[in-house]
Structures are given as C-alpha cells and as structure tokens.
C-alpha cells in the first residue's frame, strides 16, 4: 500500500519533501486516532490529549517521521487504529457497508505492513475489555485474521517451498538472541 501511494506521488512529479509530508501527516493522524481511542477510557479530556501529545512528541519514535521508509509503520498504525475504532462501532446488526469497511481497514493495514496481523487480536481484546464482544465482530475479525494467516502461509511457502524448514538448536538459539 505505501509503495502504491509513493508511486502515485512520484509519478505525479511530487518532490521528495512530499514523501516527508506524507509521513508527518500520518504521524499527526495517528496522534488524533490515539486521542479518539482513549476518549471515554479516562475521565475528562486531559488524559486522551496527553496521550496524543506524547505520541507526537516522543523523541524515541522519530524514525518513522524522519525517514521516508517509516511510511510503512505509520500507515499500518493508522489503519490498525482505524480498525479498532471501527470495531468499537460494531453493534449487534452492522450493515454490509459497515462490515465491508471494517474488514477493508484490517486488510489495508495488512497491505501496509505485515505486523498489522495483530490487528484482529487488538480489536477483539478491546471489545472484550469494554465488554462489547459480539458474534458479528468476532466474524469480521476472523475474516481479517484468516487473510493474515493465508498471507503468512503463502510467504512461508514462497520462502521454504512445501517442505518444512529444518529447525536446529543453533537456529532456535540464534532467533532468541537476535530477538533480545
């Protein structure tokens, strides 16, 4: 998805600064969506606004805004936040359009970055915490999870073929030490 957006901007003759502006816009959008996510979770307007301000000003997370390649993280974050917020509006009888927008947001998040596969779990956890888990939401999130699982399976088959990769003690040790 971000490469597609880059292609549109570059083919339209946009300068490199436009890619940076895209990242800044997505970063601001993520702060706004974070505020929306926290509204109603804490009394008053101050905690949500502080959360959004923290997201904007956090110096540890400057790379996604300063590097053009950060568009992947920023767009996936924005779409996962939208996915969760749309899930919050899922009542007992959503329309087909509402269901399509919900599933579409989850799939677009996956198209932005593979780590958005966690989106379905976040939607369901949010609904469970708010005591608003229902069958339709579970079904919609399951569709997105199934797409993510299918995509993951296709990637694994593309990388290793139809044979299972060998798992050795060294590979497990290497994976653990590289992770931490």
């Amino acid at each position: 998805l971000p490469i597609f957006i880059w292609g549109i901007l570059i083919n339209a003759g946009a300068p490199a600064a436009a890619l940076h502006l895209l990242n800044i816009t997505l970063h601001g959008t993520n702060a706004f969506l974070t505020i929306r996510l926290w509204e109603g979770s804490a009394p008053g307007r101050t905690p949500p606004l502080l959360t959004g301000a923290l997201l904007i000003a956090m110096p540890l997370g400057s790379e996604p805004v300063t590097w053009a390649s950060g568009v992947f993280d920023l767009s996936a974050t924005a779409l996962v936040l939208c996915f969760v917020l749309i899930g919050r509006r899922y009542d007992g009888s959503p329309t087909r359009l509402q269901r399509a927008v919900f599933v579409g947001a989850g799939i677009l998040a996956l198209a932005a970055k593979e780590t958005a596969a966690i989106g379905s779990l976040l939607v369901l956890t949010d609904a469970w915490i708010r005591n608003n888990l229902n069958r339709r939401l579970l079904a919609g999130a399951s569709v997105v999870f199934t797409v993510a699982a299918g995509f993951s399976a296709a990637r694994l088959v593309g990388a290793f073929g139809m044979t299972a990769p060998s798992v050795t003690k060294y590979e497990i040790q290497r994976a653990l030490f590289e992770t931490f």
Side-chain angles (χ1 to χ4, degrees), residues 77-93:
T77 301
L79 289 163
V80 167
L81 286 168
C82 286
F83 189 45
V84 172
L85 288 167
I86 294 166
R88 284 187 172 185
R89 303 182 97 201
Y90 234 64
D91 58 9
S93 58

Side-chain angles (χ1 to χ4, degrees), residues 108-129:
L108 282 175
L110 290 169
K113 191 167 182 179
E114 295 166 351
T115 54
I118 192 84
S120 292
L121 180 61
L122 292 174
V123 165
L124 296 176
T125 302
D126 180 65
W128 177 69
I129 288 170

Side-chain angles (χ1 to χ4, degrees), residues 86-148:
I86 294 166
R88 284 187 172 185
R89 303 182 97 201
Y90 234 64
D91 58 9
S93 58
T95 66
R96 287 185 185 194
L97 179 61
Q98 288 171 317
R99 289 185 289 187
V101 168
F102 176 71
V103 170
I107 292 173
L108 282 175
L110 290 169
K113 191 167 182 179
E114 295 166 351
T115 54
I118 192 84
S120 292
L121 180 61
L122 292 174
V123 165
L124 296 176
T125 302
D126 180 65
W128 177 69
I129 288 170
R130 292 179 310 98
N131 200 24
N132 197 26
L133 196 56
N134 61 62
R135 287 181 45 196
R136 300 244 180 178
L137 181 66
L138 184 60
S142 296
V143 168
V144 175
F145 179 78
T146 302
V147 169

Side-chain angles (χ1 to χ4, degrees), residues 12-14 21 33 35 37 53 57 63 70 88 95 105 109 114 123 135-136 141 149 151 164 169:
L21 182 60
L33 293 172
I35 291 169
L37 185 70
E63 292 90 1
R88 284 187 172 185
T95 66
E114 295 166 351
V123 165
R135 287 181 45 196
R136 300 244 180 178
F151 182 72
K169 179 182 172 186

